[in-house]
Amino acid sequence: MSITSLVRYIFEPRMRALEKHQTQGELLQRRVLSHLLQSAKDTEYGRKFAFSAMKGYDDFIKHCPVNTYEELKEQIDRMRHGEQNVLWKGRVQWYAKSSGTTNDKSKFIPVSPEGLQKIHYAGGFDSVALYLRNNPKSRLFDGRALILGGSHAPNYNLPGSLVGDLSAILIENINPLANLVRVPKKETALLQDFEIKRERIAREAMNKNVTNISGVPSWMLSVLNCMMEITGKTHLEEVWPHLEVFFHGGVAFTPYRKQYEQLITSPNMHYMETYNASEGFFGLQDDPADKSMLLMLDYGVFYEFEELSSSSSETSDSNNSRIVPLWGVEKDKNYAMLISTSCGLWRYKIGDTIRFTSTNPYKFVITGRTKSFINAFGEELIVDNAEQGLAYACQQTGAEVLEYTAAPVFMDANAKCRHQWLIEFSKSPQDLQQFAHLLDQKLQEVNSDYEAKRYKNITLQPLELIEARTGLFNDWLKLRGKLGGQHKVPRLSNSREHIDQLLKLNA
């Protein structure tokens, strides 16, 4: 009997409990809100907004304001300096460093002991539970797990409070027994220099029986390619014959899928998307045949959703009339997500946008970031549009995209406006102009606002595509101290700041 068949029994009660997500979404969320208000009623924030007197959601939205990081920053800074019972009960020791995708200023997201266990680790547990449910023949626990994480940031530490990438915090606090079934060793996993860490991970893991891997697709691919170079093998199953699943998240998997399928040709390989951020663990792909994810409703996270004014772009000034709880959402509308959590974030605008594909159960796809879009001319282009356009152009041309970013050209020497795309290919198209045409064509198909602005080239000219040299985006991230971990390339922006920096490096 395999180890996995024995361990499976540990997950079966949770598999049954997850069935409540099918029919009891509103009840689960109301219970979460009640728990959060009760737990935080004696904190400074809870007393200020009279949490103890609140009877439910209506009172909550009437008295508690919507917050961005800037509005909570002063309280978080005090927590980092050791103050207790500010945004959450007790003292919070750990803080996940996050810069977002369009903001250079570091954010320090509190990770309370309860949040660590009942949000972040709960998400990891449920990932395995759902995977085992869908794969009854799995031998997941008969080998090792390769978990690719970030690093601590000791230069941001204060007496009594510690800072790191969320993945590093999870590795640092994980049950010591887990270290018996994971690679690499903790010292390697927490290295800050990704180029050194990548090779060490490859060398430590290549002779282990790895059955599952977890991480951000772009950085994991870099580690796996390094391993292929060291071992001289062509396909990953030659190194790890029992590899069966990649738990991935952080960035859209679409641009990387083909590269993984070429690297891992085994028919027994599975892919499972997770939605885990510094602020919490929010979603899991519960059905391999469905690209949407199940919203996790019984962790320490209460969700709200702000309907965007149109098919995309950034929210305007928040007001409760446009914010709804889970039970007020509708399918196929674009929403910005707000969260209240057991880490002390209250009605917090996380910056991600999602679209529900189902409300029974509540399932969704990530459509982008509230600050990651192009709306320079009313075209309202979002990341979801970009991913669809690139996938179509790659399918038609056989190209493979590694990284990309895009921004507007407001007016060139000929008074023409357009979008400028900078793309690094792992496999270049034979005809770059054809790729650009197909991308532009698909963007018009999936976004009527973009199509209207492209009509007869009156407002927008055909997009401009520039091919990036190999390694450009990694070089740019390295210069910014953001190579590896959970750092991401900003995909779309109304500003030319990032693309201009990249173009200088590309020269």
Side-chain angles (χ1 to χ4, degrees):
M1 182 176 287
S2 74
I3 296 173
T4 305
S5 62
L6 296 172
V7 174
R8 182 182 290 273
Y9 292 107
I10 298 173
F11 293 89
E12 286 186 351
R14 182 56 182 165
M15 294 181 199
R16 292 191 294 270
L18 284 169
E19 293 176 4
K20 295 180 180 178
H21 281 61
Q22 302 284 333
T23 58
Q24 300 181 31
E26 180 178 346
L27 176 62
L28 292 173
Q29 276 288 275
R30 287 190 184 275
R31 285 177 177 172
V32 169
L33 179 60
S34 177
H35 169 73
L36 293 175
L37 294 176
Q38 179 65 23
S39 298
K41 63 183 175 61
D42 295 323
T43 65
E44 178 185 301
Y45 198 85
R47 292 193 302 270
K48 179 178 180 180
F49 295 106
F51 281 7
S52 61
M54 290 183 182
K55 304 300 183 184
Y57 180 66
D58 290 342
D59 287 343
F60 182 57
I61 62 171
K62 182 178 179 181
H63 298 289
C64 188
V66 170
N67 291 296
T68 62
Y69 183 80
E70 286 67 31
E71 273 123 16
L72 296 178
K73 183 179 184 300
E74 185 266 334
Q75 291 100 318
I76 292 174
D77 284 346
R78 287 167 47 209
M79 291 166 66
R80 289 185 63 218
H81 282 82
E83 291 192 40
Q84 301 184 41
N85 301 310
V86 181
L87 292 172
W88 190 248
K89 60 184 179 181
R91 183 171 184 174
V92 178
Q93 180 185 25
W94 283 98
Y95 296 83
K97 181 175 175 289
S98 171
S99 59
T101 56
T102 59
N103 189 343
D104 290 338
K105 186 164 60 176
S106 296
K107 298 177 183 178
F108 301 96
I109 306 300
V111 182
S112 70
E114 181 175 333
L116 189 65
Q117 295 298 327
K118 296 186 178 181
I119 300 176
H120 294 291
Y121 286 143
F125 188 89
D126 283 353
S127 301
V128 176
L130 288 170
Y131 176 75
L132 292 177
R133 183 198 70 181
N134 293 331
N135 298 277
K137 295 181 179 180
S138 170
R139 298 178 71 92
L140 189 77
F141 288 98
D142 290 59
R144 301 288 190 96
L146 190 158
I147 303 173
L148 181 60
S151 62
H152 293 326
N155 51 314
Y156 290 102
N157 289 347
L158 293 168
S161 76
L162 303 170
V163 173
D165 287 350
L166 173 70
S167 53
I169 294 173
L170 298 179
I171 291 171
E172 184 65 50
N173 289 279
I174 200 168
N175 187 314
L177 292 176
N179 290 318
L180 299 176
V181 295
R182 59 171 292 275
V183 289
K185 59 186 180 182
K186 183 190 289 188
E187 300 92 304
T188 300
L190 298 177
L191 280 172
Q192 192 163 8
D193 189 318
F194 181 72
E195 292 173 306
I196 295 174
K197 177 160 71 174
R198 175 178 56 190
E199 182 174 347
R200 288 193 185 176
I201 291 174
R203 292 189 182 279
E204 286 182 29
M206 65 186 188
N207 294 317
K208 300 293 192 299
N209 177 29
V210 172
T211 61
N212 61 100
I213 56 179
S214 304
V216 177
S218 53
W219 302 124
M220 181 62 77
L221 189 63
S222 180
V223 170
L224 299 181
N225 284 333
C226 179
M227 187 177 303
M228 294 296 96
E229 292 175 9
I230 292 171
T231 61
K233 304 296 186 182
T234 304
H235 298 115
L236 195 58
E237 57 264 37
E238 296 177 77
V239 181
W240 298 327
H242 300 114
L243 180 67
E244 60 177 87
V245 61
F246 178 23
F247 298 101
H248 60 86
V251 298
F253 191 54
T254 303
Y256 305 99
R257 179 176 291 277
K258 191 169 183 180
Q259 295 169 71
Y260 275 91
E261 290 174 348
Q262 290 172 344
L263 183 63
I264 309 168
T265 60
S266 169
N268 300 318
M269 185 63 187
H270 303 90
Y271 299 90
M272 184 174 180
E273 185 170 8
T274 65
Y275 181 12
N276 54 328
S278 298
E279 296 85 355
F281 200 119
F282 309 126
L284 284 167
Q285 185 180 4
D286 68 323
D287 181 354
D290 184 355
K291 292 182 179 180
S292 58
M293 287 183 278
L294 181 70
L295 191 67
M296 308 314 293
L297 304 178
D298 59 354
Y299 299 173
V301 181
F302 180 77
Y303 302 97
E304 295 177 89
F305 304 91
E306 182 174 14
E307 184 180 345
L308 300 185
S309 57
S310 55
S311 63
S312 60
S313 81
E314 189 173 17
T315 61
S316 59
D317 292 338
S318 292
N319 62 80
N320 286 334
S321 65
R322 295 177 55 226
I323 296 175
V324 295
L326 180 71
W327 52 93
V329 301
E330 299 177 38
K331 287 172 56 179
D332 300 324
K333 286 190 174 181
N334 212 34
Y335 293 100
M337 194 162 77
L338 288 74
I339 57 171
S340 298
T341 77
S342 55
C343 291
L345 301 177
W346 298 103
R347 305 196 76 194
Y348 180 84
K349 299 174 72 171
I350 188 174
D352 289 342
T353 61
I354 70 169
R355 173 174 53 82
F356 283 92
T357 59
S358 166
T359 55
N360 185 28
Y362 290 96
K363 300 183 73 170
F364 68 95
V365 293
I366 301 171
T367 55
R369 299 275 299 172
T370 56
K371 293 183 179 179
S372 185
F373 64 93
I374 303 177
N375 191 27
F377 313 103
E379 67 275 44
E380 302 192 347
L381 192 74
I382 60 174
V383 173
D384 186 50
N385 303 152
E387 298 288 349
Q388 290 187 59
L390 289 169
Y392 174 75
C394 285
Q395 182 185 40
Q396 295 298 309
T397 64
E400 296 172 13
V401 171
L402 187 62
E403 295 287 359
Y404 74 92
T405 193
V409 175
F410 293 97
M411 194 173 288
D412 62 17
N414 299 312
K416 300 295 185 182
C417 304
R418 63 186 180 279
H419 287 181
Q420 189 176 59
W421 290 68
L422 181 61
I423 301 179
E424 182 178 340
F425 294 96
S426 54
K427 181 180 178 183
S428 299
Q430 288 186 347
D431 187 337
L432 204 63
Q433 291 306 311
Q434 181 197 19
F435 187 96
H437 173 73
L438 290 167
L439 171 59
D440 187 74
Q441 186 180 62
K442 190 64 174 181
L443 293 177
Q444 293 183 57
E445 180 184 322
V446 300
N447 184 320
S448 58
D449 291 314
Y450 181 81
E451 181 184 34
K453 300 303 178 290
R454 284 282 294 110
Y455 180 69
K456 293 187 176 180
N457 300 340
I458 295 173
T459 303
L460 275 178
Q461 300 295 301
L463 65 84
E464 176 189 5
L465 196 160
I466 300 171
E467 183 169 5
R469 63 171 173 78
T470 301
L472 172 68
F473 287 91
N474 277 0
D475 289 347
W476 179 72
L477 287 168
K478 186 176 180 180
L479 283 173
R480 293 158 55 87
K482 296 179 182 294
L483 187 65
Q486 294 182 310
H487 299 297
K488 310 165 193 174
V489 172
R491 298 307 195 191
L492 306 177
S493 177
N494 259 351
S495 164
R496 290 194 55 83
E497 177 187 0
H498 296 128
I499 199 169
D500 282 342
Q501 292 172 358
L502 283 156
L503 288 170
K504 286 182 181 178
L505 285 177
N506 198 49

